[in-house]
Amino acid sequence: MVASPLAVGPVIAAHASATVAPAAAKCNVEVDSAGKYHVWGEGFPGGTTVTYSGSTSGSVPIDKSGRFDLGGLTGSKYVVKTADGKTTVTCAAVHH
């Protein structure tokens, strides 16, 4: 069991840094039960705002953990950009 905490330590450190590093930002989109689109992302700079564009556009605040969540949208293709313009992410379609 001594090796287990050592193996878990770097994973936790990598996960923690991924939530604040814009390079790790990702975005997903899927159809909800009402036939609308649900877009969410993680790994963005916490406490900032991102803009999204596609069939609908606007901006959304990023929570302290680096996540956002939007529902009731139309269209399945979205691009999310940080306010400073340094990170642009195309949302990947998720199918269940």
Side-chain angles (χ1 to χ4, degrees):
M1 285 282 188
V2 174
S4 180
L6 294 175
V8 173
V11 172
I12 292 169
H15 178 70
S17 65
T19 60
V20 295
K26 66 180 181 176
C27 177
N28 297 298
V29 61
E30 69 180 336
V31 178
D32 66 19
S33 60
K36 296 288 186 175
Y37 290 88
H38 177 202
V39 177
W40 75 98
E42 60 187 359
F44 292 91
T48 63
T49 300
V50 295
T51 57
Y52 59 94
S53 59
S55 300
T56 306
S57 61
S59 61
V60 62
I62 303 302
D63 68 16
K64 291 179 183 176
S65 65
R67 298 177 182 173
F68 73 89
D69 196 337
L70 298 166
L73 301 174
T74 59
S76 63
K77 297 188 184 291
Y78 287 90
V79 174
V80 176
K81 182 184 284 189
T82 55
D84 63 8
K86 292 182 180 180
T87 303
T88 301
V89 179
T90 300
C91 302
V94 176
H95 302 283
H96 294 279

